[in-house]
Amino acid sequence: MGDDEKVKYTVTLESTYTVVANPTPEQREYNTRINQAWTEANRKQQEQFHQRAAGRKLLRLSSMCGPCIVQGIVIRETAHFFIYAEGAHYGEEPIEAFPLRRKSKESTHVESCRGCEDHPQTLYPMGRLD
């Protein structure tokens, strides 16, 4: 086997993260500012989701590892499935321009739960588990 056949994937390191056990006050202040900025950006994104949905239901995929994932705007509901416009909560185009998908009701929900970021008593106030 030649060298070209051995390499199937290449990985580029984009960022380096250092975990500090006892951060200095400057590091704590920096981390607090970054977390506040991230929280504000996340809150604005949630507001945009709801403005885009304009009173329609958002389909959410339950997650055991973090906040529920918004899949799209619900178009129709059947006995066993939700039909939704995938990604329609992100775009500026008319909702009809987005592909329709279907998901089982077993792993999804439309009402905000404690795992959803927009729930008043969310488990993820900063978009993730702190």
Side-chain angles (χ1 to χ4, degrees), residues 18-74:
T18 305
V19 177
V20 179
N22 296 313
T24 64
E26 293 83 18
Q27 289 171 325
R28 281 194 191 110
E29 180 184 334
Y30 172 77
N31 291 342
T32 301
R33 278 191 325 232
I34 293 297
N35 284 340
Q36 287 172 345
W38 198 94
T39 301
E40 182 65 21
N42 191 49
R43 186 187 61 73
K44 286 181 181 177
Q45 184 183 41
Q46 291 297 324
E47 286 176 4
Q48 288 174 348
F49 285 175
H50 291 285
Q51 288 173 357
R52 178 78 174 146
R56 298 182 195 183
K57 296 178 182 177
L58 290 173
L59 183 67
R60 307 150 196 269
L61 180 64
S62 301
S63 173
M64 295 176 65
C65 302
C68 298
I69 302 160
V70 177
Q71 297 290 300
I73 297 174
V74 175

Side-chain angles (χ1 to χ4, degrees), residues 76-89:
R76 284 190 304 278
E77 185 176 344
T78 67
H80 301 286
F81 296 100
F82 288 112
I83 311 297
Y84 67 101
E86 182 181 45
H89 54 287

Side-chain angles (χ1 to χ4, degrees), residues 91-108:
E92 296 295 325
E93 301 85 16
I95 292 174
E96 294 77 23
F98 289 89
L100 294 182
R101 301 277 189 247
R102 118 182 141 163
K103 278 255 195 237
S104 169
K105 288 186 172 181
E106 293 176 5
S107 63
T108 57

